[in-house]
Amino acid sequence: MATQYANDIPFSASHDQQAFKLLELPPELLSLLESEHPPTLTITSSKATETTSGYALLCHGDKKYQMRQKNTSNPIMILAPSRTMPTESDDAETFISSPSVTTISKIEDTIELILQEAEVKAAPKNKWHEKFAKSRAEKKK
């Protein structure tokens, strides 16, 4: 009689988990990277402003992608093929190893890329408030 355990695959977790980050690529960048002549990619830092701190940018040519970390509630496990090893209760001489899988990393966040539009030149500052304050000061004299 067959049971649900007839074709089980042993699973284990490595004590030395490796660090991985998954990068979510937009379709147009993926097709460029899979092309015959893929572009060179660089990672730089954006300029910090008064309202924002700098952030990482993935660049190629004139295109820039902001790199953002997204957390996920369901971790992704990276698996590697392995083989079962004898335990203390097994006879090492007669033990037959079988294929298994081992998790080598648990990824709980991914990096998404957001295409940055061309930088908009700063609009000239409105000097109205300065003119208003100056005229009020002159009226008080």
Side-chain angles (χ1 to χ4, degrees):
M1 178 172 148
T3 68
Q4 65 183 10
Y5 301 107
N7 296 318
D8 64 339
I9 298 173
F11 175 81
S12 62
S14 171
H15 293 286
D16 299 323
Q17 295 287 299
Q18 297 178 30
F20 285 97
K21 292 284 184 189
L22 294 181
L23 187 61
E24 185 179 308
L25 296 173
E28 65 276 2
L29 185 55
L30 178 61
S31 64
L32 282 174
L33 291 173
E34 291 177 332
S35 70
E36 194 170 314
H37 302 287
T40 299
L41 303 177
T42 58
I43 297 176
T44 61
S45 179
S46 72
K47 295 178 182 172
T49 65
E50 293 176 6
T51 57
T52 63
S53 60
Y55 46 84
L57 290 171
L58 181 78
C59 307
H60 81 87
D62 62 346
K63 299 224 177 178
K64 295 179 182 180
Y65 296 88
Q66 180 181 355
M67 300 173 73
R68 283 194 187 164
Q69 181 171 303
K70 292 184 350 180
N71 294 331
T72 177
S73 59
N74 298 325
I76 299 166
M77 290 188 214
I78 306 294
L79 304 176
S82 58
R83 300 211 47 96
T84 57
M85 302 300 289
T87 63
E88 291 178 11
S89 61
D90 294 323
D91 181 6
E93 291 183 22
T94 60
F95 180 80
I96 299 173
S97 180
S98 64
S100 63
V101 291
T102 300
T103 179
I104 60 168
S105 181
K106 183 171 79 170
I107 300 170
E108 296 176 337
D109 47 58
T110 59
I111 306 293
E112 74 173 339
L113 300 178
I114 301 165
L115 181 61
Q116 298 295 289
E117 300 300 323
E119 292 183 30
V120 179
K121 292 185 179 180
K125 291 185 180 180
N126 185 351
K127 304 282 184 175
W128 178 85
H129 66 283
E130 292 175 7
K131 290 177 185 176
F132 177 74
K134 187 177 181 181
S135 66
R136 285 188 73 182
E138 289 174 0
K139 287 180 182 178
K140 287 184 179 182
K141 288 183 183 178

